[in-house]
Each structure stands twice: as C-alpha cells, then as structure tokens.
Amino acid sequence: MLWQIDQRDPQPLYEQIANVVRRAVDERTLRPGDRLPTGKDLAGSLDVNLHTVLRAYQTLRDEGLIELRRGRGAVVIASGNGAARLSGMVVELVAQADRLGISRDELIQMIDKKVQE
Amino acid sequence: MLWQIDQRDPQPLYEQIANVVRRAVDERTLRPGDRLPTGKDLAGSLDVNLHTVLRAYQTLRDEGLIELRRGRGAVVIASGNGAARLSGMVVELVAQADRLGISRDELIQMIDKKVQE
DNA sequence: ACCTATTTGTCCGTATGTATG
DNA sequence: CCATACATACGGACAAATAGG
C-alpha cells in the first residue's frame, strides 16, 4: 500500500487520507472484507498523528464505507460503485422530500444552496 | 439557556450536547435563524473542553441541523425532525456527487427521473 | 477463566490557521 | 488592522472492546 498525502495541500490531511481510501475502494483495490491498516501504522507511514488517521476513518464509517471496531480495526463494507451509492441516496432523498411535502423545485433550491458552498 | 449534561453518563459528552440541541430544535425552543452559544461559552458553562462542544456542533452540521461559519458561530437551519433529516441528506448527496465529479445539472437530472416515477 | 497486547473511542490541552465582522 | 470563532493538527491520557495465548 503506497498511499501518499501532501502536507502543503490546502486540503485537510484527514480529507486527503479519506480520499485515498475512497479511491482505492472505487478502483476495487480495496474490496468488501479487506482490512485497512491500523491507525497507528498508517499514521506512521504517512508521518501524521494517529488522531488524524482515525478522524479520516471515522468519516468513512459515517459514510457507510467501512466498519470500525475497537481492537479489531477497519474493514471495508461497501462495494466501490460510487454511482450506485449516489443513485441510492437520490432515491431516499426523493422519498423523504415526498413525505414532507417538499416540492421538486424546493428540493432543487436546497441543493443549489449547498452546491454553491 | 439552562442546558445540562452528565459527566457520569456513559453516553459521550459530545453526544449529550448534540442531543440537547436536537431536542431544543424539535421543541421549537430553537428556531431557524437562532444563534447557538459560541463553543467557548458553552464549553465554559458546561465545564467541558472547547473541542467537545465543537465536535457536537460539527455532527449537527453534518446532519444539516445547523450552519457553522468561522468568525460567526452556529446558526440553526432546519426547523424540525423530518426537515433536519432531509437537509442532512442533501448535504451528503451533494458531497457524494462532488466526489464522483457529478455536475449540478446531472444531479438534478437524476432527481427529476426519480420524481416522475 | 485470565491475562495481555492491540486498536479504536473519548476527552483534554496547546498551537496555529482561516474566515467573519 | 483587530478581535472573534470555528477548523485543523499535534500530543497525551485513559477507557473500552477485541483477539490471542
């Protein structure tokens, strides 16, 4: 695993780390069931703090990409098809908007507000 | 604002803090546009670390419940449970689309396709 | 059943950066 | 230019869950 990050990149280190993992999953370099390096190991090889790696892992967990367990480590859950994941999110979003009586236009408006940020 | 948390509660402090805010929003004690106390202030009054409060705020932001801006503070966005959930879903959707390089227009197209079904 | 090492989880503290007003 | 307030990163300490001997 020859992952790299750039200390001078304005992008946060934990974001860079998360992106490396996301890409690996998308490219099927990492597959469901695969273990990620321990926080300590990755922190050592990237020369960053342990907490920085764990923060990256926790964001990936929140996205449903990996599973984290104390004493066990990080394991890939989701398959790498980002587009399929996006499609699922759209389905859920539309359903939720419908439940709340939010119109299509209002929904688009909400999205545009987020996009411009 | 007489918010309280319990240091002996096994539930994490940042979760307790987030829950207090969630409840206040649900009960309309906090309404869209209202400002939350600054991290420093709340940390002082709850006798916890600044980071603990900010972590709570950040999870609320990820859920779409509040907006966080440097120099400005935390402002309530969503008005209720369902709306908060929807707002959070929009945040995640836009983030995922961005990661995949999906444009705003393509995203709208995907949504329209689902809406008409 | 016990003990130990491993690994993530939380919390604190400090320092520095960046956007806002 | 300056003060405010959140954002990131580092480091340390301890807790809790897991795995292995």
Side-chain angles (χ1 to χ4, degrees):
Chain A
M1 238 170 298
L2 22 85
W3 290 345
Q4 272 195 341
I5 58 172
D6 181 1
Q7 289 275 356
R8 291 154 321 179
D9 192 322
Q11 200 176 22
L13 299 178
Y14 76 87
E15 253 310 297
Q16 292 184 50
I17 296 169
N19 279 334
V20 168
V21 177
R22 289 189 193 107
R23 184 161 312 166
V25 171
D26 274 352
E27 294 170 351
R28 304 289 200 283
T29 308
L30 283 176
R31 293 160 169 281
D34 286 351
R35 280 179 99 263
L36 267 57
T38 69
K40 194 182 163 196
D41 284 351
L42 188 52
S45 78
L46 294 179
D47 196 32
V48 299
N49 192 273
L50 164 65
H51 292 122
T52 304
V53 174
L54 292 186
R55 179 167 181 184
Y57 281 6
Q58 282 166 6
T59 69
L60 294 170
R61 178 197 54 193
D62 292 344
E63 293 169 9
L65 203 66
I66 67 175
E67 183 185 80
L68 285 180
R69 304 272 292 268
R70 287 170 174 162
R72 217 158 71 81
V75 180
V76 177
I77 296 178
S79 71
N81 199 333
R85 215 171 108 62
L86 182 70
S87 178
M89 293 172 74
V90 170
V91 171
E92 289 174 29
L93 180 75
V94 170
Q96 176 72 6
D98 190 54
R99 275 195 292 275
L100 295 174
I102 304 285
S103 73
R104 179 262 183 200
D105 288 349
E106 288 172 306
L107 195 54
I108 303 299
Q109 214 171 351
M110 289 181 66
I111 290 171
D112 281 336
K113 205 167 163 188
K114 301 292 179 192
V115 167
Q116 80 182 62
E117 286 170 3
Chain B
M1 244 173 290
L2 21 85
W3 290 345
Q4 272 195 341
I5 58 172
D6 181 1
Q7 290 274 358
R8 293 154 321 182
D9 192 323
Q11 198 177 26
L13 298 179
Y14 75 87
E15 254 307 301
Q16 293 185 49
I17 296 169
N19 279 335
V20 167
V21 178
R22 288 191 194 104
R23 183 162 314 165
V25 171
D26 275 353
E27 295 171 351
R28 305 290 197 281
T29 307
L30 282 177
R31 295 161 168 280
D34 286 351
R35 281 179 101 263
L36 267 58
T38 68
K40 194 182 164 197
D41 284 352
L42 188 52
S45 77
L46 294 179
D47 197 32
V48 299
N49 192 274
L50 164 65
H51 292 317
T52 305
V53 174
L54 292 185
R55 180 167 181 183
Y57 281 6
Q58 282 165 5
T59 69
L60 294 171
R61 178 197 52 193
D62 292 345
E63 293 169 6
L65 201 67
I66 67 175
E67 183 183 82
L68 284 179
R69 303 274 291 268
R70 288 171 173 157
R72 201 163 147 265
V75 179
V76 177
I77 297 180
S79 52
N81 244 344
R85 196 165 120 69
L86 183 71
S87 179
M89 291 170 76
V90 170
V91 171
E92 288 173 26
L93 181 76
V94 170
Q96 176 72 5
D98 188 55
R99 278 195 291 274
L100 295 174
I102 304 286
S103 73
R104 179 261 184 199
D105 289 348
E106 289 171 305
L107 195 54
I108 304 299
Q109 217 171 349
M110 289 182 66
I111 289 172
D112 281 336
K113 208 167 164 187
K114 299 295 178 190
V115 168
Q116 79 184 56
E117 286 171 6

